[in-house]
Amino acid sequence: GIKCGGVLSAPSGNFSSPNFPGLYPYETECTWLIVVAEGSFVQLSFSHFELEYHTACAYDYLQVYNGAARDRGNLLGTFCGHSPPPPFSSAWHVMAVVFRSDRHVAKRGFAAAYRKDACGGQLTGLSGEITSPRYPESYPNDAECRWSIGGAGSSGPLTLVFADFQVEGSQGCGFDYVAIFDGPTAAAPRLGRYCGSVRPPRTVSSAPHLLILFKSDFNIGGRGFKAHFYSAGECQEVFTTIKGNFSSPQYPNFYPNNLKCQWSIQLPPGYRVKVFFLDMELEGRSSLTGSCDYDHLAAFDGGTENGSLLGRWCGRENLAPVTSHSNQLLLVLHTDRNTAKRGFSIAYVGVVPMNVSCTRTDFHIQIPVQSLAQLERNRIYLGTPSCAAHVVGGNFKIHTRFDTCGTESQKRNNTSVIVSTLYIDFSVGNQEDIHQYEVQCEPKRKEASVTLIVGPDPSRLSQAENLVDAQQREGGTTDTREIKSQDTSDIVFISICILAGLLMVIAVVGLVLL
């Protein structure tokens, strides 16, 4: 019978738990939806807080949402006990607060205040965007805005990137300027002070806090600025190892809303990056367009979003692996303001660049030394360790006949093929890490292929995946001496056939004459 909650649309206001400062009632649930003018955001603070305590806040609790309630991707935090929540700023013009009590133990509850603020605030998400007042229109005179970034959800350094910047310029930036501090207040070390029309450089904090201060004087303005920030570690990572795993923020729990996260895989020259989607559940496709217009994951060939798009996915799908055409691949996750899901888990492996060819009697395998510079030649072998590679020039090379090195003949799709296994041993100490590639030749056509059998994690990537080397597709060359040696066996074979034919003719003629 207790009335509580509702829509709060005034520019500022106060609200509290039922009966405050008396004890709140049992078995009560209240939702306050705060809606201010579009283009502004909500600042929320608590002057009193006292709820029943539980380590997981499973009994009485208060939840703050960065947008509409009940969307777990918007949840900024769940609170109980006697410690008040920190001040919050929404990423847009809507914020929701939910209070719930059970049937036992009542306390005094809470008192909160909110206000609309179009300039500055406390930003606590893993990523977000800030703009100067009225952007992209000219900002007002005599403005002073402070954005304190960090706190809940941030665990690593923060990165700030300016997408647009136009502020009144002056010597020493004494009039209008943007200042960045390596901490939550202006007492922290200053990382830079900027004005004019040149975008400030990418800034990385040393701790999970940044302060951005914007000031304008009494005349001459500009378009202002637009910048976005993200927390390194969960939302922005660079991988340089030959294999690895990563996942969306908070996986397997629901990812936050309003994210733009990037994972860049950068391998040594010559490698290709192959990505395996172990699990993926994002917001589904738009019912109007049938496209991934909401939350989506995109892959780009190279290190930037200007590279070729390799794929764009959403919903819940079983995706085939994706392979880059260069030694770099970029994955970008975009999430919107609502409807979060479990996210994704990904494994990747660097595909060793190799040139595999064959004749009617021999295998020829060539791998650039720079791709496996950390390995001795005996760590690369075909079939058995006795068939190890040799270093010739700048390449590891294996040249072997079909009747050696564990090769065997098989029938596949009614075609005779010769098959062997190439081993590349990355093991360190007691940790075994051997990549196995199936090498196959169709002698009649002299066509060779290579397939990854066992990659970086056999228990999760057990199925064979075709990894025909991109160098061969793209016209990768082998030196002329190697080509000549590959053709020698063919010449011998043809010569023997011709000689046998001549001997048969001579024998037939001899019989006729007799």
Side-chain angles (χ1 to χ4, degrees):
I2 298 294
K3 290 188 65 176
C4 64
V7 178
L8 307 176
S9 57
S12 62
N14 299 275
F15 60 98
S16 60
S17 53
N19 296 339
F20 182 83
L23 300 181
Y24 51 75
Y26 299 125
E27 296 189 295
T28 299
E29 183 167 323
C30 313
T31 300
W32 291 268
L33 188 65
I34 306 169
V35 183
V36 296
E38 194 155 0
S40 305
F41 55 86
V42 181
Q43 288 192 322
L44 177 69
S45 60
F46 293 84
S47 58
H48 183 85
F49 192 84
E50 183 185 351
L51 273 63
E52 180 185 6
Y53 176 76
H54 180 263
T55 52
C57 294
Y59 304 145
D60 302 350
Y61 59 81
L62 181 136
Q63 293 179 320
V64 181
Y65 290 87
N66 184 20
R70 300 307 186 192
D71 188 329
R72 284 195 278 175
N74 284 336
L75 182 63
L76 294 175
T78 300
F79 307 94
C80 60
H82 291 76
S83 299
F88 286 106
S89 291
S90 64
W92 55 310
H93 68 291
V94 177
M95 178 177 276
V97 179
V98 176
F99 167 71
R100 184 184 182 280
S101 64
D102 63 5
R103 64 179 63 187
H104 305 288
V105 186
K107 298 290 184 179
R108 292 178 61 196
F110 69 89
Y114 76 91
R115 66 184 178 91
K116 178 189 78 169
D117 198 336
C119 178
Q122 178 77 30
L123 305 175
T124 55
L126 290 175
S127 70
E129 182 179 277
I130 60 175
T131 60
S132 52
R134 301 177 185 170
Y135 177 86
E137 304 297 328
S138 183
Y139 55 77
N141 294 327
D142 297 313
E144 180 172 335
C145 310
R146 294 169 185 259
W147 292 269
S148 181
I149 306 173
S154 298
S155 57
L158 293 163
T159 299
L160 181 71
V161 179
F162 285 85
D164 189 19
F165 194 84
Q166 187 189 49
V167 173
E168 179 190 4
S170 64
Q171 186 70 29
C173 296
F175 303 140
D176 301 354
Y177 64 86
V178 172
I180 305 171
F181 297 88
D182 193 16
T185 68
R190 192 174 75 187
L191 299 176
R193 179 168 170 149
Y194 307 100
C195 61
S197 57
V198 177
R199 283 188 297 171
R202 177 188 298 258
T203 301
V204 181
S205 69
S206 62
H209 289 94
L210 271 178
L211 176 71
I212 295 94
L213 171 64
F214 169 63
K215 276 193 173 184
S216 64
D217 63 5
F218 61 91
N219 64 3
I220 307 178
R223 187 171 63 248
F225 66 88
K226 176 181 180 180
H228 66 267
F229 67 89
Y230 49 81
S231 174
E234 271 198 282
C235 197
Q236 183 82 11
E237 293 183 273
V238 176
F239 298 94
T240 57
T241 55
I242 299 302
K243 61 179 181 178
N245 292 73
F246 57 91
S247 57
S248 52
Q250 302 177 10
Y251 177 88
N253 298 318
F254 282 33
Y255 51 76
N257 289 326
N258 297 303
L259 287 180
K260 181 182 179 182
C261 300
Q262 296 185 343
W263 295 268
S264 179
I265 304 170
Q266 303 173 6
L267 300 185
Y271 273 86
R272 303 294 183 262
V273 183
K274 192 168 190 79
V275 170
F276 299 85
F277 300 89
L278 307 180
D279 182 31
M280 193 181 83
E281 184 185 7
L282 305 179
E283 183 180 4
R285 296 176 179 270
S286 166
S287 59
L288 296 176
T289 66
S291 301
C292 296
D293 296 334
Y294 308 132
D295 301 352
H296 62 268
L297 178 69
F300 298 90
D301 192 19
T304 70
E305 293 181 64
N306 295 326
S308 300
L309 181 66
L310 299 175
R312 178 181 169 117
W313 308 280
C314 59
R316 189 170 187 173
E317 301 181 38
N318 293 319
L319 301 176
V322 172
T323 305
S324 68
H325 299 106
S326 68
N327 62 321
Q328 296 188 45
L329 184 142
L330 178 69
L331 284 158
V332 182
L333 172 67
H334 287 267
T335 69
D336 61 11
R337 294 175 176 176
N338 49 41
T339 314
K341 296 293 183 179
R342 188 172 67 247
F344 64 81
S345 176
I346 280 175
Y348 76 87
V349 59
V351 179
V352 176
M354 64 180 74
N355 189 301
V356 179
S357 59
C358 66
T359 64
R360 289 189 176 90
T361 58
D362 300 71
F363 270 126
H364 298 267
I365 302 170
Q366 184 171 288
I367 304 172
V369 169
Q370 65 173 358
S371 300
L372 301 172
Q374 77 276 25
L375 297 184
E376 299 291 334
R377 71 174 187 84
N378 59 2
R379 296 285 198 99
I380 305 156
Y381 55 91
L382 185 68
T384 63
S386 61
C387 293
H390 294 276
V391 178
V392 180
N395 296 297
F396 291 112
K397 292 188 178 182
I398 297 175
H399 179 192
T400 181
R401 295 181 61 84
F402 289 158
D403 56 359
T404 60
C405 298
T407 56
E408 61 181 34
S409 178
Q410 296 182 5
K411 275 278 190 182
R412 295 187 179 179
N413 298 324
N414 295 320
T415 302
S416 296
V417 295
I418 305 297
V419 178
S420 189
T421 302
L422 176 68
Y423 296 88
I424 303 178
D425 189 353
F426 292 96
S427 301
V428 177
N430 296 326
Q431 187 165 356
E432 185 176 277
D433 184 12
I434 302 176
H435 294 199
Q436 299 178 29
Y437 293 81
E438 182 185 80
V439 181
Q440 176 180 310
C441 175
E442 189 178 339
K444 287 185 178 180
R445 297 184 179 182
K446 296 188 290 183
E447 290 182 353
S449 63
V450 58
T451 301
L452 179 66
I453 306 172
V454 178
D457 190 346
S459 65
R460 303 174 83 176
L461 305 175
S462 58
Q463 75 274 26
E465 296 293 344
N466 189 12
L467 295 176
V468 176
D469 176 53
Q471 282 186 326
Q472 291 175 270
R473 294 181 184 176
E474 296 166 9
T477 58
T478 308
D479 60 65
T480 54
R481 289 171 296 175
E482 186 70 15
I483 293 172
K484 289 177 182 177
S485 68
Q486 290 174 10
D487 289 337
T488 302
S489 59
D490 288 350
I491 295 171
V492 172
F493 179 78
I494 294 169
S495 300
I496 291 172
C497 292
I498 293 172
L499 180 60
L502 289 172
L503 290 173
M504 288 180 65
V505 169
I506 292 170
V508 171
V509 170
L511 288 172
V512 170
L513 292 174
L514 289 173

